[in-house]
Amino acid sequence: MNQETAVIRNFSVPLSATPRGARLARLLACEQLREWGLPLDPAEHIVAELAANAATHGRVPGRDFRLTLYVVGDTLRIEVTDTRGDRLPHPELPSPDAESGRGLLLVAALSTRWGVSPGPTPRKTVWAEVTFP
């Protein structure tokens, strides 16, 4: 009998919903990816954007956001959960002179696929997947 077993690697950590927490999310994700022997690009950029959004748009004073990474087969899934389930992200093209507003467009361009999962109240999880060749 030939059975195929998949190794699932995961990492999850709560972080403060602040710019410092967002930077720490990127640094911790990079360290974890190195430990797993996975490339940093494009995951580092995706984590940075999703964590920055959680610290900026998903921030509720006194509540953290959670970064979760897990790998199944050749796919890395990045999840950022915050406590603003009432504020769902939607990418829009910013004006050419805008200094912000391109984060989700970058996530969409860099990931294989991405989306938002609601709940449980008051949470939401913004996720992105990267498939490695």
Side-chain angles (χ1 to χ4, degrees), residues 54 57-65 80-89 116-126:
H57 306 293
R59 177 171 163 68
V60 174
R63 294 187 183 166
D64 294 339
F65 73 91
V80 174
T81 302
D82 66 44
T83 54
R84 288 300 306 257
D86 59 322
R87 298 181 94 184
L88 297 178
V116 181
S117 300
T121 302
R123 296 172 191 86
K124 73 172 175 300
T125 299
V126 183

Side-chain angles (χ1 to χ4, degrees), residues 88-107:
L88 297 178
H90 39 75
E92 296 177 3
L93 278 176
S95 65
D97 59 341
E99 294 183 13
S100 63
R102 294 173 180 81
L104 288 176
L105 296 174
L106 287 170
V107 169

Side-chain angles (χ1 to χ4, degrees), residues 8-15 21-22 24-26 28-30 32-33 36 38 43-44 46-48 50-51 54 64-72 75-82 115 119 123-130:
I8 300 173
R9 295 172 275 183
N10 65 43
F11 170 82
S12 187
V13 63
L15 298 156
L24 186 55
R26 182 183 57 80
L28 291 171
C30 288
Q32 190 60 57
L33 293 171
W36 288 339
L38 296 175
E44 176 181 12
I46 295 169
V47 169
L50 295 183
D64 294 339
F65 73 91
R66 176 168 292 278
L67 168 67
T68 303
L69 307 174
Y70 59 93
V71 180
V72 178
T75 301
L76 167 68
R77 185 171 172 112
I78 301 161
E79 296 182 348
V80 174
T81 302
D82 66 44
R123 296 172 191 86
K124 73 172 175 300
T125 299
V126 183
W127 55 269
E129 294 180 347
V130 176

